[in-house]
Amino acid sequence: MTSPRTEALAALHGAGRPAGGGEPASRRGHGRPPGAPRSRQWTAYAFLTPLVVYLIVFYTYPLYRNIELSVHDYTPRAFVQGDPEFTGLDNYLRIVSDDAFLRALRNTAVFTLGSIAAQYAIGLALAVFFHRTFRLSAVLRAMFLVPWLLPLIVSASTWSWMLNSDNGIVNSALGAFGVGQINWLTSPDTALLSVTIANIWLGVPFNLVILYAGLQNIPASLYEAAGLDGANAWQRLRRITLPLLRPVSAITLLLGLIYTLKVVDIIWIMTKGGPADASTTLAIWSYREAFGTGQPDFSPAAAVGNLLILIAFAAGLAHVRLQRREEHA
Amino acid sequence: MTGQRTWWRTVLGVVLVALMLFPVYWMFNVSLTRTGDMRADPPHWFPWNPTFEGYAAALTQQLPALATSVFIGLGTVAITLVVALPAGYSLARLRPRGARTIDFTLLVAQMIPGVVMAMGFYAIYIRLGMLNSIGGLIVADSTLAVPFAVLLFRSFMATIPGELMAAAQIDGAGTWRTFRSVILPLSRNSVITVSLFAFLWSWSDFIFASTLNRSSDVIPITLGIYRYIGNNTTEWNSIMATAVIASLPAAFLLVIAQRYIAAGVTAGAVKD
């Protein structure tokens, strides 16, 4: 899962990065047309070459292979021998018309939107709480990062054991309140909820970190002025915090969306997408088709994966447009 | 605010942390529980009769997997640094044309679902005979860290005062020499940050591990735990003990390296 961490830090950097080109390195030659002299360009490219080669070989080529998989009929035999039949968009049509597609789409929507909404709400509440300094606040805040840094297999198996029907601590604790046994992971009614809860837990630290950083950038004087005007805590949140936090909130939610769309590990380890597809998302569907059964079916799996990229990409574009409109407004 | 009594905030903060970290505590608790007590109803909230049999089992059975993961992690760090350091320098300082395209590519790269990358790598590796190889997994895992590393180095290196580089150039240092003798030493904190994260991500990776290294010869620790769960539904103390051991790098990162993480995270926020 790793990526939310990537994106968290990248986002922080993106947000605070000194604006692009105006670096002191070029001060000597003012009056020069934009861009460095030719020899410098070559040096710049030389330093970039490893990255460009890397991106082509290890991102573009796997991606190309994936698209190629999705427009052929790769049987396991053809996979090894490399003589698959070209089928055009057949795999995509088959996927979209499959009953499982709508269910997976719905599960993806519930899992993704439920996760990011709850993560954001909890993360924001915690960020506001920690925004005031108090004894041990820094230490306690640091401890909130622990779930973020644990390997997902560790978190997922711990949650599996906690939600275990017979001996799980969750059922045992609920039992103390008179709640009967809930088959968290083995009932179709609660499987999706269970993996969503675990995923929310995982995502809270990320939201806390980014939103906390966002709060730090809101001038304290605004709160002081509002305090003088007699604004209460709720009004300060509504009128100052939320509006000024909007750009940070937008990037947080977008990154959360992109990350959550592609979650495999948590769901796979906890429920394998079951029971009866109850927790099968698009990413899980793709993973299962390709690797989850003894009979790999790479072509439809690749088609589902590519649809997933399209959805993430559309979300990214929508975000960019929204931001641009906001800047012009 | 600070002058007022804020002890209730500390108390509330402790309660919130306790709630948040309960699963972590529970993992620890179960790892010390005796097999016989595992099915106790209600479960034991504290390890009254702690046993280390889980840790003994974990260490005897999972040591090779731990070693494999360490090796893969170090390899991932090496690739990531070799690719990302010069690129970060170039993007931050040398202003190549097409830098925006690279930026965009790096962002899109982070949007690609892991399962898609896994399928792509699988398709390539099966032809090259690189499945079930440590090298193959190192390469795949490095894709988790490279975009992040380039962006972080780029923003960090942009904050190094240009005067230092100008001085190096007046002293006759070429671009490479400047990079090696001025930029790299000054970038130490960001190098440490990137290395830690690259190591941690490859250490934690499950998707590539479960798709590209499936033979029993070389498996990383994440897959070791996963198989453990599949085979050993009764020995949760061993599973959780392995989980605790597998979490140690994260604990190390949080405790020892916090100031580097902070340095890395704030690097981007510092403006010239």
Side-chain angles (χ1 to χ4, degrees):
Chain A
M1 85 118 204
T2 40
S3 10
R5 307 164 189 173
T6 316
E7 285 148 2
L9 292 159
L12 287 177
H13 286 274
R17 188 184 303 144
E23 290 308 321
S26 61
R27 255 180 220 155
R28 285 183 304 141
H30 67 110
R32 212 165 43 201
R38 184 173 286 196
S39 68
R40 277 255 323 237
Q41 279 296 322
W42 284 114
T43 321
Y45 289 140
F47 276 84
L48 265 186
T49 306
L51 175 69
V52 172
V53 171
Y54 183 91
L55 287 175
I56 291 171
V57 177
F58 298 128
Y59 277 99
T60 315
Y61 188 58
L63 210 56
Y64 159 76
R65 285 286 300 179
N66 209 63
I67 293 170
E68 203 233 320
L69 281 177
S70 73
V71 294
H72 287 86
D73 182 21
Y74 268 97
T75 58
R77 198 178 58 85
F79 202 75
V80 180
Q81 293 178 342
D83 55 350
E85 190 192 338
F86 179 80
T87 56
L89 293 179
D90 273 10
N91 283 310
Y92 290 90
L93 290 176
R94 245 174 60 203
I95 290 295
V96 176
S97 57
D98 194 321
D99 284 346
F101 177 72
L102 279 183
R103 198 164 41 217
L105 201 62
R106 193 194 70 100
N107 287 344
T108 307
V110 171
F111 178 75
T112 308
L113 299 179
S115 290
I116 62 173
Q119 287 166 356
Y120 176 80
I122 300 172
L124 180 62
L126 288 169
V128 169
F129 175 73
F130 280 107
H131 191 42
R132 305 274 187 82
T133 36
F134 51 90
R135 265 180 88 85
L136 296 178
S137 60
V139 177
L140 293 175
R141 195 160 41 85
M143 292 182 72
F144 263 92
L145 302 187
V146 169
W148 196 20
L149 299 171
L150 292 182
L152 271 184
I153 178 93
V154 167
S155 317
S157 42
T158 305
W159 275 98
S160 294
W161 184 239
M162 283 172 47
L163 293 172
N164 182 293
S165 302
D166 305 318
N167 311 93
I169 185 70
V170 173
N171 272 349
S172 172
L174 288 175
F177 295 99
V179 179
Q181 176 180 314
I182 299 173
N183 297 318
W184 290 100
L185 299 172
T186 49
S187 152
D189 299 329
T190 49
L192 188 59
L193 175 69
S194 303
V195 294
T196 309
I197 290 173
N199 191 58
I200 291 168
W201 180 78
L202 282 165
V204 164
F206 159 75
N207 281 260
L208 169 61
V209 166
I210 298 205
L211 293 172
Y212 181 80
L215 286 183
Q216 299 293 87
N217 289 331
I218 299 178
S221 56
L222 283 176
Y223 290 104
E224 282 158 23
L228 288 178
D229 290 344
N232 61 30
W234 173 244
Q235 286 167 327
R236 289 197 296 266
L237 182 72
R238 277 280 313 273
R239 307 275 176 203
I240 302 177
T241 308
L242 288 181
L244 288 180
L245 211 54
R246 261 181 75 163
V248 180
S249 299
I251 192 79
T252 311
L253 289 169
L254 173 78
L255 294 175
L257 178 71
I258 291 173
Y259 153 64
T260 314
L261 278 175
K262 54 186 186 186
V263 167
V264 168
D265 338 36
I266 276 289
I267 303 179
W268 186 256
I269 294 161
M270 287 178 70
T271 65
K272 287 201 163 60
D277 283 352
S279 55
T280 295
T281 59
L282 289 172
I284 286 290
W285 192 20
S286 175
Y287 184 87
R288 181 171 50 208
E289 292 287 317
F291 304 107
T293 63
Q295 298 287 322
D297 216 349
F298 284 101
S299 295
V304 175
N306 291 333
L307 282 182
L308 207 53
I309 298 181
L310 284 182
I311 297 176
F313 200 68
L317 283 182
H319 169 78
V320 171
R321 293 203 108 182
L322 232 112
Q323 256 197 338
R324 212 169 275 160
R325 196 186 303 162
E326 200 142 289
E327 274 164 23
H328 289 301
Chain B
M1 260 313 113
T2 28
Q4 290 173 17
R5 291 197 307 162
T6 53
W7 59 268
W8 67 270
R9 281 186 177 269
T10 307
V11 173
L12 184 56
V14 169
V15 171
L16 291 172
V17 166
L19 276 176
M20 187 73 180
L21 295 191
F22 181 79
V24 181
Y25 165 73
W26 199 244
M27 163 175 78
F28 185 66
N29 182 30
V30 172
S31 76
L32 291 171
T33 305
R34 290 190 304 187
T35 312
D37 293 342
M38 204 65 68
R39 302 264 167 204
D41 185 29
H44 295 275
W45 285 79
F46 305 97
W48 292 126
N49 304 303
T51 173
F52 289 96
E53 64 191 37
Y55 286 89
L59 285 177
T60 48
Q61 292 165 38
Q62 301 287 352
L63 217 48
L66 285 166
T68 304
S69 277
V70 170
F71 192 74
I72 292 173
L74 295 177
T76 305
V77 170
I79 292 194
T80 305
L81 291 181
V82 166
V83 173
L85 273 170
Y89 175 53
S90 179
L91 289 172
R93 288 306 188 175
L94 305 176
R95 302 197 302 145
R97 285 193 200 89
R100 278 172 169 269
T101 315
I102 300 270
D103 275 1
F104 182 72
T105 314
L106 292 173
L107 282 181
V108 172
Q110 298 188 53
M111 287 189 185
I112 305 172
V115 59
V116 171
M117 292 295 283
M119 266 184 281
F121 274 114
Y122 188 91
I124 296 166
Y125 284 3
I126 200 170
R127 301 294 288 280
L128 297 178
M130 278 176 74
L131 286 177
N132 304 313
S133 73
I134 290 188
L137 205 52
I138 290 178
V139 165
D141 281 347
S142 71
T143 61
L144 300 171
V146 164
F148 158 78
V150 174
L151 293 174
L152 191 137
F153 284 142
R154 181 273 240 333
S155 54
F156 184 87
M157 289 171 182
T159 64
I160 296 175
E163 289 79 3
L164 287 174
M165 294 170 53
Q169 267 157 12
I170 288 168
D171 289 347
T175 318
W176 172 250
R177 185 71 205 274
T178 311
F179 174 64
R180 225 192 49 193
S181 311
V182 178
I183 300 294
L184 282 189
L186 286 173
S187 303
R188 198 191 59 166
N189 280 5
S190 60
V191 169
I192 293 175
T193 310
V194 163
S195 306
L196 287 168
F197 277 102
F199 185 87
L200 195 63
W201 292 333
S202 110
W203 178 268
S204 313
D205 160 69
F206 173 76
I207 291 197
F208 290 132
S210 69
T211 54
L212 304 178
N213 273 34
R214 310 217 273 183
S215 84
S216 301
D217 306 340
V218 277
I219 60 161
I221 188 64
T222 47
L223 200 56
I225 298 178
Y226 181 66
R227 292 208 176 151
Y228 225 161
I229 302 172
N231 301 337
N232 266 312
T233 42
T234 50
E235 288 178 35
W236 274 89
N237 53 6
S238 311
I239 295 170
M240 288 293 119
T242 317
V244 171
I245 295 170
S247 307
L248 290 180
F252 170 83
L253 185 71
L254 196 70
V255 176
I256 311 287
Q258 247 225 317
R259 69 192 188 94
Y260 292 113
I261 301 174
V265 169
T266 48
V270 180
K271 305 211 174 179
D272 263 350

